[in-house]
Amino acid sequence: METVVINITTEYDKALEKSAELLKNGEVVSIPTETVYGLAANALCENAVKKIFVAKGRPSDNPLIVHIAKFEDLAPLVAEIPEKVKVMADAFWPAPLTMIMKKSDKVSNVVSGNLPTVAIRMPKSDYARAIIEACGLPLAAPSANLSGSPSPTNAKYVYDDMNGRIPLIIDGGNCEIGVESTVISFAEDPPRLLRPGGVTLEEMTALIGEIVVDDAVLNKLEDGAVASSPGMKYKHYAPSADITIIKSDFETFKTLCESEDNITALCFDGENEKLSCKSVTYGDESDGYSQSARLFDALRELDEMGATKVYARCPDTKGMGLAVYNRLIRASGFKIKVI
Ligand code: TXA
Ligand code: MG
């Protein structure tokens, strides 16, 4: 299959027209969002959704997020809208925020991975919402990487993974946030944070009170444990290089990196100039948003450089840092050294 790329920043009408046509015909289109690129298909058509799993090589028990353009699109997809969801939607949507609720009969088990719930997100990206509006359908969309690689934050990375597998990629430039949305479940009370992202735990707690942080956010799931979010049991965000997170100050980190041969450092901006080994930077030490915007690109750059052994600086886990740390511990296979 030939994969066409249309740039929505320069060919807006054509991008909307072509993507709407394909989506209405049950095809898969990669779309830009503010978090990462998505692999979208008509959420109400089982055959269309099945094509996403094939293109991505994704296990069929891992459910998909359904993307909507306006609040009115929510009610048909869920059994009921909990009060706290209304408050959250009012305060944050459109946003890098996915809310899980009990699903309605309209949502197929192919989308929900046989769970009784469905995950819904209204993306902040104007391009993403314009595409949803143009086809007039709720769009099921996982991140547009092959299962197991880092989520793509630009159209070139989507092309690298999806060339020949899908008919169309809409190029909307670089993703602003750079890591996937916050996922929080309202199928239970207090609500449960399943994946940290661009809307932070602190922001949500200030609005709705107690939120339980699922164990899998910060820890490796025990073998055989049942995951609250099926995606958490799969290996994720893994570059080929072997990464170890080093919890220490910069001087200790520098000494360690320089005491061994063939280390590549994954460090904060500016620190690279003080290191004699090879390095890749991932944002400002004190700014979680600049780290999230860089992290997945940095992981891909490590692969492109052929890095084999990587020592990574450890981010702070407050605010946006929690999402960065959550992705980095998975990229490292939970290898953390405290010095
Ligand atoms: O930012 C994002 O959320 C991106 C863009 C494209 O919107 N999408 C994304 O989708 O990251 P995906 O499929 O890569 O991650 C969705 C996560 C998975 O870990 C999945 O297991 C979980 O959300 N999930 C989806 N539906 C769920 C449900 N009903 N219950 C529990 N977890 C669910
Ligand atoms: Mg993903």
Side-chain angles (χ1 to χ4, degrees), residues 12 34 51 55 58 62 108 130 155 192 205 219 243 248 279 288 293:
Y12 187 77
E34 75 281 16
K51 289 182 189 170
R58 183 182 180 107
N62 195 357
S108 138
R192 177 180 293 265
T205 306
N219 302 297
I243 302 182
S248 72
S279 61

Side-chain angles (χ1 to χ4, degrees), residues 88 91-92 97 182 184 193 195-213 217-218 288-289 316-325:
M88 289 277 288
F92 297 119
L97 171 69
T182 302
I184 178 168
L193 178 68
R195 181 174 75 183
V199 174
T200 66
L201 177 61
E202 290 88 340
E203 288 171 312
M204 296 189 294
T205 306
L207 186 70
I208 58 167
E210 186 186 0
I211 294 169
V212 175
V213 177
V217 168
L218 288 174
Y289 287 92
D316 184 18
T317 56
K318 288 195 212 62
M320 191 59 190
L322 185 63
V324 177
Y325 183 73

Side-chain angles (χ1 to χ4, degrees), residues 36 56 58 62 142-145 148-151 180 195 236-237:
V36 299
K56 214 177 136 71
R58 183 182 180 107
N62 195 357
S143 50
N145 51 292
S149 336
S151 297
E180 309 85 347
R195 181 174 75 183
H236 248 196
Y237 323 115

Side-chain angles (χ1 to χ4, degrees), residues 35-54:
T35 56
V36 299
Y37 276 73
L39 213 49
N42 178 359
L44 304 176
C45 170
E46 286 195 357
N47 278 333
V49 174
K50 282 180 185 161
K51 289 182 189 170
I52 297 177
F53 287 90
V54 174

Side-chain angles (χ1 to χ4, degrees), residues 129-334:
R129 292 201 319 284
I131 293 167
I132 300 167
E133 296 262 27
C135 65
L137 297 164
L139 295 180
S143 50
N145 51 292
L146 286 172
S147 223
S149 336
S151 297
T153 52
N154 62 47
K156 181 192 171 291
Y157 291 150
V158 178
Y159 191 84
D160 289 347
D161 276 14
M162 290 298 148
N163 182 23
R165 294 175 162 259
I166 58 172
L168 179 63
I169 297 169
I170 301 297
D171 183 351
N174 288 332
C175 300
E176 180 195 334
I177 305 278
V179 298
E180 309 85 347
S181 61
T182 302
V183 177
I184 178 168
S185 176
F186 291 88
E188 55 192 288
D189 199 51
R192 177 180 293 265
L193 178 68
L194 300 179
R195 181 174 75 183
V199 174
T200 66
L201 177 61
E202 290 88 340
E203 288 171 312
M204 296 189 294
T205 306
L207 186 70
I208 58 167
E210 186 186 0
I211 294 169
V212 175
V213 177
D214 197 86
D215 266 354
V217 168
L218 288 174
N219 302 297
K220 188 176 180 175
L221 275 179
E222 301 286 332
D223 285 345
V226 177
S228 315
S229 183
M232 293 195 287
K233 73 182 183 221
Y234 297 108
K235 193 161 185 250
H236 248 196
Y237 323 115
S240 316
D242 176 51
I243 302 182
T244 305
I245 300 172
I246 308 298
K247 269 194 187 170
S248 72
D249 59 22
F250 176 68
E251 284 309 318
T252 313
F253 176 81
K254 175 176 156 71
T255 308
L256 178 71
C257 290
E258 293 173 354
S259 67
E260 286 178 44
D261 286 339
N262 231 351
I263 297 297
T264 308
L266 178 60
C267 60
F268 298 120
D269 295 350
E271 294 177 347
N272 50 326
E273 287 153 25
K274 299 177 199 146
L275 290 164
S276 63
C277 61
K278 283 179 289 181
S279 61
V280 170
T281 59
Y282 79 104
D284 185 315
E285 180 172 11
S286 59
D287 177 6
Y289 287 92
S290 88
Q291 293 162 20
S292 71
R294 273 284 303 150
L295 183 67
F296 287 144
D297 287 4
L299 295 180
R300 294 212 181 222
E301 283 167 27
L302 287 170
D303 273 351
E304 284 160 11
M305 285 166 70
T308 49
K309 191 162 179 200
V310 175
Y311 286 145
R313 289 274 278 141
C314 187
D316 184 18
T317 56
K318 288 195 212 62
M320 191 59 190
L322 185 63
V324 177
Y325 183 73
N326 169 273
R327 305 317 190 270
L328 192 56
I329 52 178
R330 280 164 176 76
S332 74
F334 297 88

